[in-house]
Amino acid sequence: MPDRSATVVSYAAGASLAAVALIYVFGPNFTIDHESTSSSRKTTIVGLRNQANDCFINSVLQALAGLGDLRVYLIRETHRRRIEDPAVYQNLVQPQLGVKLEQWRLQGLQEGLVTQGLKDMLDALNERPLTRKSTSPFPFVKVLEAAFKQRISRQQQDAQEFLQIVAERLKDEYRAGQRARAHARNAQLAGSATQETQDEATPANKSNGQDQNGLDDDSELEAAARGVRDAVGSACGPPEVEEGFPMEGKYESRLECQTCRYKTKPKEESFCTITLAVPHVSSTSLNACFDGIFKTEYIDDFKCEMCRLLQAKANLEHELSRSTSESFKMQAKDSIEKLSQAMETDPEKPPEGVDLGDIRYAPKRKIAKTTRMTIFPKILAIHLSRSIYGAGQMTQKNSAKVSFPERLPLGGLVDQHQYKLLGIITHRGGHNSGHYEAFRRQNQPSPYHNANTFQQSDIYSKTSTPVSTPKMAARQPSSPTTSTPDLLSHSSATEVPTLATESAAVPSPSDAPRVDSSPQRSHSEARERDADASSLRSVAASTKSALSRLAPTKSGQNSSPSPSSKSQQATAAKRAKKRKPASDKWWRVSDEKVREAKTGEVLGMQIEVYMLFYELEK
């Protein structure tokens, strides 16, 4: 067990560093925005230089920079890794299922290389300079190449492929960090439970190998081991509930036979982006594209497992009724019993020792395939597939108009979720060449003047406190190096004890200490009471005067304003007309070029729209 004072001090230090970092990230934005509002100077955002066909990278990074939930997640994850013991993430923990990962890859996942790199990149893009400013995406590209030990090809790559690689990597880093934290927490709990059980099992007085209760040494050891198992099991309890990667969701699909009405087991899959096929029509809608995967689909000539078992059972029963062989009857009855049991338990698992016949002659049925979303992500990234495949593997771009809403409802009537459009990526050109642009919404007003400033409580109050972990033997990290293969080339396809702060209790009037009767104390307190009374009277008077200006006169007519107030009202009305609504302001970013746009312009990109980014409304 680590020293509690040391744990509290390290936690406080880490939290202070995170708070300083948060002020550094968002504080300058607040000052600039406040000054620009008062002095009519317009601010912009940072563009990205295109040095080698980088528009597919630049557009994705700009779209991600406008997603508030993603930025909160990145701050939380980097903050978590700073305040905890570094040994937690340097002691490698392999996943329980799947392929064993190489040491360098697992170390990079647990350290959160891409998570930290993307946070730094998005922080740079969300700076609000008063003049035109641009930066390079190369620092993040370098981090990504080091994480995979592969080079990112710059030869006309697909923005969706780049986003998929980044999103999947962020999800894998979150999973690796989660495993490392759980492993360290369980190791700490097991160690403490073992120590406590050994202390309790040590007899105070022994006589000839027996204690006062008459238990011998072997019984004591067995009881101690059983106590360790019980203590660890109860101490570990349910796993820590964390807010996961905001772009990850899940959907499940199942099949229903239209003949026997058997429904297969739901097959659940996770996703970070959803790909919707655009139909070959002149114009369509986003909802129609969603119907392509979430609408019931009927498929003919499907081989149903239940129907196959039913057919085999019917054949055996028919042969049993005609057979005169006792041995065949016994074997047939045994097979029929196994088939009946399989149909009741799991028809998709054929019984052993039963001949079902050739699969080619299994009955073909019509089935209905249904797909539904089971876990709705906070950030919904939608990719519109516009590829049209022709003869000879030739492809061309589908230029159909796809209308998309500003607010997207998903789910049923009971569990409906509302999403708001925060960004899109457009593509102009053909299937094998062209240019990507990004549209990102200027963030909505928050409790601060600056629309891009998050409330610190929103970031940390919704996050479970990082788990306290023991001091562990840290391994020396090795810096992964880059190598030559292309990453995107066509050839390579908690709970810790919460920080205890004792707040001073407010005494009730009955518990208040008696006031000293000395003249000095009485005079000073009298002056304080007079000052308080005068301040309250001044507040009441100012409120009364403000209300009197708004209140109607006795004749029922409003008091006529002075000429100066009329001119001020006229000026304010003109400014209100010129000022765009905050929800209607967008940034249109084409590499280094940044200009403002309206929602109507964004929704009008029906031919060019390629990717959509929605965020779940709170």
Side-chain angles (χ1 to χ4, degrees):
M1 289 287 290
D3 186 23
R4 179 177 177 82
S5 60
T7 303
V8 171
V9 169
S10 63
Y11 180 88
S16 301
L17 289 174
V20 171
L22 189 66
I23 295 173
Y24 173 77
V25 171
F26 299 113
N29 298 341
F30 169 80
T31 306
I32 292 175
D33 280 2
H34 184 68
E35 291 178 356
S36 63
T37 302
S38 60
S39 61
S40 71
R41 288 181 295 176
K42 289 186 176 181
T43 59
T44 180
I45 57 174
V46 178
L48 285 168
R49 293 188 288 272
N50 190 342
Q51 299 171 334
N53 296 322
D54 292 338
C55 65
F56 74 99
I57 298 175
N58 296 347
S59 59
V60 171
L61 292 179
Q62 289 289 359
L64 295 180
L67 303 176
D69 281 341
L70 179 61
R71 294 196 67 199
V72 170
Y73 165 80
L74 296 174
I75 292 173
R76 186 179 70 234
E77 286 302 304
T78 52
H79 165 76
R80 185 195 299 274
R81 282 175 167 81
R82 285 195 187 103
I83 68 173
E84 291 182 341
D85 188 350
V88 173
Y89 301 98
Q90 292 179 13
N91 287 274
L92 305 183
V93 182
Q94 290 284 349
Q96 296 180 355
L97 301 176
V99 183
K100 185 177 180 181
L101 301 176
E102 301 93 333
Q103 181 177 352
W104 65 268
R105 184 182 297 275
L106 185 56
Q107 180 178 334
L109 291 173
Q110 293 188 177
E111 291 178 356
L113 296 180
V114 178
T115 301
Q116 181 65 57
L118 184 61
K119 177 189 177 298
D120 296 339
M121 188 77 254
L122 299 192
D123 288 347
L125 292 179
N126 279 285
E127 182 185 345
R128 300 295 294 274
L130 294 176
T131 59
R132 180 179 174 181
K133 182 178 180 180
S134 62
T135 186
S136 172
F138 183 72
F140 178 69
V141 173
K142 188 176 180 180
V143 170
L144 204 61
E145 290 177 339
F148 286 96
K149 284 190 176 181
Q150 293 183 16
R151 186 179 65 86
I152 294 181
S153 174
R154 312 300 249 286
Q155 301 300 320
Q156 298 293 340
Q157 295 297 334
D158 189 7
Q160 187 271 338
E161 294 179 2
F162 179 76
L163 174 65
Q164 186 71 19
I165 289 175
V166 173
E168 291 290 342
R169 174 71 187 200
L170 292 176
K171 182 192 71 173
D172 292 342
E173 288 185 355
Y174 170 74
R175 296 294 185 210
Q178 191 180 36
R179 288 195 303 268
R181 291 188 292 271
H183 181 268
R185 181 170 65 252
N186 293 338
Q188 182 186 29
L189 293 174
S192 61
T194 304
Q195 183 64 37
E196 292 176 1
T197 308
Q198 289 178 353
D199 294 342
E200 293 177 358
T202 302
N205 297 311
K206 285 192 175 183
S207 175
N208 296 327
Q210 291 186 341
D211 60 4
Q212 297 176 355
N213 295 326
L215 296 176
D216 56 11
D217 293 340
D218 295 336
S219 300
E220 290 177 4
L221 292 176
E222 183 179 355
R226 185 168 55 253
V228 169
R229 291 192 297 268
D230 296 340
V232 172
S234 60
C236 294
E240 179 193 8
V241 178
E242 298 180 354
E243 289 192 21
F245 180 50
M247 296 183 67
E248 183 181 11
K250 290 184 179 181
Y251 63 87
E252 67 175 20
S253 59
R254 65 189 311 172
L255 307 177
E256 181 181 3
C257 178
Q258 300 300 291
T259 302
C260 66
R261 295 298 174 183
Y262 170 71
K263 294 182 179 180
T264 61
K265 296 178 182 178
K267 182 181 180 181
E268 191 174 57
E269 296 182 14
S270 63
F271 66 89
C272 293
T273 61
I274 290 182
T275 297
L276 305 179
V278 178
H280 301 172
V281 293
S282 58
S283 63
T284 183
S285 65
L286 184 62
N287 290 331
C289 296
F290 266 110
D291 289 342
I293 59 174
F294 290 114
K295 191 176 181 179
T296 303
E297 179 184 5
Y298 294 95
I299 305 173
D300 294 323
D301 298 335
F302 186 86
K303 296 177 181 179
C304 173
E305 295 294 337
M306 177 64 82
C307 290
R308 188 183 181 194
L309 298 181
L310 288 172
Q311 184 186 52
K313 182 181 178 183
N315 292 336
L316 285 174
E317 290 175 346
H318 178 69
E319 294 178 3
L320 180 63
S321 62
R322 300 178 58 184
S323 176
T324 58
S325 173
E326 293 298 330
S327 60
F328 176 77
K329 287 183 179 180
M330 292 180 59
Q331 184 180 0
K333 289 180 180 179
D334 182 64
S335 298
I336 291 174
E337 184 179 354
K338 290 181 179 179
L339 289 171
S340 300
Q341 186 177 2
M343 288 186 290
E344 292 178 359
T345 56
D346 188 4
E348 299 176 40
K349 185 178 180 181
E352 297 181 358
V354 180
D355 185 14
L356 300 179
D358 196 335
I359 187 65
R360 294 177 297 176
Y361 304 108
K364 297 180 180 180
R365 301 289 189 250
K366 181 179 181 180
I367 56 105
K369 180 182 179 181
T370 57
T371 305
R372 68 183 187 93
M373 196 176 296
T374 55
I375 296 180
F376 293 81
K378 288 186 176 181
I379 298 172
L380 183 64
I382 303 172
H383 163 233
L384 298 177
S385 177
R386 292 181 173 270
S387 299
I388 301 176
Y389 297 94
Q393 299 297 323
M394 295 294 294
T395 56
Q396 57 182 346
K397 182 180 178 181
N398 184 355
S399 298
K401 292 183 178 180
V402 181
S403 61
F404 51 94
E406 188 177 2
R407 279 179 168 78
L408 176 68
L410 283 183
L413 296 176
V414 179
D415 60 341
Q416 191 173 83
H417 297 73
Q418 291 287 339
Y419 285 88
K420 184 176 182 180
L421 183 66
L422 290 191
I424 74 169
I425 292 177
T426 61
H427 180 264
R428 295 176 182 269
H431 185 272
N432 297 317
S433 63
H435 182 65
Y436 291 101
E437 284 187 341
F439 290 79
R440 44 179 290 198
R441 187 187 293 273
Q442 297 187 25
N443 293 333
Q444 296 302 299
S446 60
Y448 302 102
H449 293 287
N450 176 21
N452 292 321
T453 304
F454 297 113
Q455 196 171 4
Q456 292 188 26
S457 60
D458 290 341
I459 299 178
Y460 298 111
S461 64
K462 298 178 182 178
T463 308
S464 57
T465 308
V467 178
S468 174
T469 50
K471 299 294 182 182
M472 306 177 68
R475 300 183 180 182
Q476 294 296 329
S478 60
S479 301
T481 57
T482 57
S483 58
T484 53
D486 290 346
L487 181 61
L488 289 174
S489 62
H490 297 288
S491 60
S492 64
T494 136
E495 229 169 14
V496 218
T498 306
L499 189 58
T501 55
E502 297 182 4
S503 58
V506 179
S508 61
S510 59
D511 298 333
R514 293 187 177 182
V515 181
D516 192 358
S517 59
S518 62
Q520 295 179 357
R521 293 286 299 274
S522 60
H523 288 312
S524 62
E525 290 186 359
R527 285 196 300 270
E528 291 177 359
R529 287 195 298 270
D530 292 341
D532 292 339
S534 62
S535 62
L536 290 175
R537 284 194 294 269
S538 63
V539 171
S542 61
T543 305
K544 184 177 180 181
S545 62
L547 291 176
S548 64
R549 291 193 295 269
L550 299 176
T553 59
K554 292 182 179 180
S555 60
Q557 303 293 332
N558 292 334
S559 59
S560 58
S562 62
S564 60
S565 62
K566 284 184 178 180
S567 60
Q568 291 177 358
Q569 292 177 2
T571 305
K574 290 181 180 179
R575 290 179 179 175
K577 289 182 179 180
K578 292 181 179 180
R579 190 182 301 118
K580 299 177 183 178
S583 60
D584 195 44
K585 291 183 178 181
W586 290 73
W587 297 114
R588 182 172 184 173
V589 191
S590 176
D591 295 329
E592 298 182 48
K593 300 177 182 178
V594 179
R595 69 175 182 85
E596 282 195 346
K598 292 184 178 181
T599 304
E601 182 180 355
V602 176
L603 299 180
M605 294 289 171
Q606 298 181 4
I607 298 178
E608 299 84 0
V609 61
Y610 184 65
M611 299 186 68
L612 296 153
F613 296 85
Y614 286 88
E615 196 170 79
L616 188 65
E617 290 189 324
K618 308 301 187 291

